[in-house]
Amino acid sequence: MQLNKYFRLFILIIFSVIYCRIYGQSANYTHQPSLEKGFVPIRNYSPQEYAARPQNWSIIEDDRGMIYVGNNEGVLEYDGVKWRVITTTKETNIRSMSKDSIGRIYIGAQGEFGYLAPDSVGKLQYLSLLDQVDEKYHDFVDVWKTYATEDGVYFQTTGTIFRWDGDTIRTWLAESQETAFHILFFVNGTIYVRQNGIGLKKMVDDQLVLIQGGELFAKEKIYFMMP
């Protein structure tokens, strides 16, 4: 009697599992996982396939649908079939990218920044803006953030913020290494930046002003902001 009881319980569990598996399938299931309703197809691209280094920092799509990836070897351009590497002047890592209102892509690299522009046959190439920067401000490393805004394009390093308005470059300097710029944000049309030891500031009439309560972030790091 006890054996029959456990046997009936075992059969009930087996049928429950089978029923759940059948019920959990899509109504349009065709034995092809990529076609199963609710399945999100993901395509992975290996470094061997795109023929560059394995570490990537940023990604953006231009107005034509071309994909650009900030890679440690340069800017990777992907048209859906072929990959191409666009190197910068110094052939450095690409940390950040941004696209402006006319579709131009700006590049923040290691020790330099610039933008992509077509050559004589229409292929995009990197053009540096470093020659527009006063030589005394050339001593920077990574451009961690790049934002194209109505006021111009901002490029942020730990010690300096640059803004290119199409004609000239303006700079904002951190007071010292202890008050380095940690990270730059562009939210609701406003530039914000957190400074180590000071807090969260925003750009007001071309001045970096500590926001109300911003001192709370003097030691507390911020990694993300959204409206």
Side-chain angles (χ1 to χ4, degrees):
M1 180 67 71
Q2 189 73 8
L3 182 61
N4 288 338
K5 176 181 178 182
Y6 286 120
F7 180 75
R8 288 196 300 271
L9 180 60
F10 174 75
I11 295 298
L12 178 62
I13 293 173
I14 293 297
F15 274 101
S16 297
V17 171
I18 293 175
Y19 174 76
C20 289
R21 287 178 59 86
I22 294 175
Y23 186 79
Q25 292 177 354
S26 165
N28 298 323
Y29 184 69
T30 60
H31 301 288
Q32 298 183 42
S34 63
L35 299 179
E36 184 177 354
K37 187 176 181 180
F39 180 82
V40 180
I42 296 176
R43 173 72 162 89
N44 294 319
Y45 298 92
S46 68
Q48 290 74 28
E49 186 170 0
Y50 57 73
R53 297 178 186 176
Q55 194 167 28
N56 300 291
W57 294 88
S58 55
I59 185 169
I60 201 167
E61 181 181 4
D62 74 1
D63 291 347
R64 303 168 299 165
M66 302 276 277
I67 298 297
Y68 294 88
V69 180
N71 181 268
N72 277 1
E73 195 162 321
V75 179
L76 307 183
E77 179 187 69
Y78 183 55
D79 63 5
V81 179
K82 302 184 299 297
W83 291 90
R84 180 172 74 99
V85 179
I86 305 171
T87 57
T88 63
T89 306
K90 297 183 178 181
E91 299 184 356
T92 58
N93 303 341
I94 309 301
R95 300 299 195 195
S96 56
M97 296 187 292
S98 184
K99 184 175 68 173
D100 68 10
S101 59
I102 64 172
R104 175 176 287 172
I105 295 176
Y106 288 86
I107 306 298
Q110 196 173 51
E112 61 177 324
F113 55 85
Y115 60 93
L116 300 182
D119 61 12
S120 59
V121 295
K123 292 180 66 174
L124 291 187
Q125 302 294 332
Y126 173 79
L127 292 181
S128 177
L129 287 171
L130 199 57
D131 60 345
Q132 302 293 323
V133 179
D134 193 308
E135 287 190 8
K136 64 184 178 182
Y137 300 131
H138 280 203
D139 187 22
F140 63 88
V141 187
D142 296 288
V143 180
W144 291 110
K145 290 292 182 178
T146 299
Y147 289 112
T149 76
E150 292 183 355
D151 297 326
V153 185
Y154 288 86
F155 303 93
Q156 177 248 322
T157 74
T158 55
T160 311
I161 296 173
F162 302 95
R163 186 182 67 196
W164 167 249
D165 64 6
D167 294 312
T168 58
I169 288 182
R170 178 161 182 172
T171 60
W172 290 265
L173 302 176
E175 291 83 350
S176 65
Q177 290 185 348
E178 289 72 25
T179 60
F181 299 119
H182 173 235
I183 193 166
L184 190 80
F185 302 97
F186 182 54
V187 182
N188 280 348
T190 301
I191 287 290
Y192 294 87
V193 65
R194 179 194 168 266
Q195 278 190 265
N196 293 331
I198 296 178
L200 184 61
K201 293 182 175 181
K202 70 177 180 179
M203 190 71 72
V204 180
D205 296 329
D206 285 347
Q207 300 292 325
L208 289 175
V209 179
L210 190 68
I211 70 168
Q212 183 176 0
E215 65 278 1
L216 294 173
F217 301 101
K219 296 183 179 180
E220 189 73 21
K221 293 183 178 180
I222 305 172
Y223 291 98
F224 184 74
M225 287 179 65
M226 64 178 292

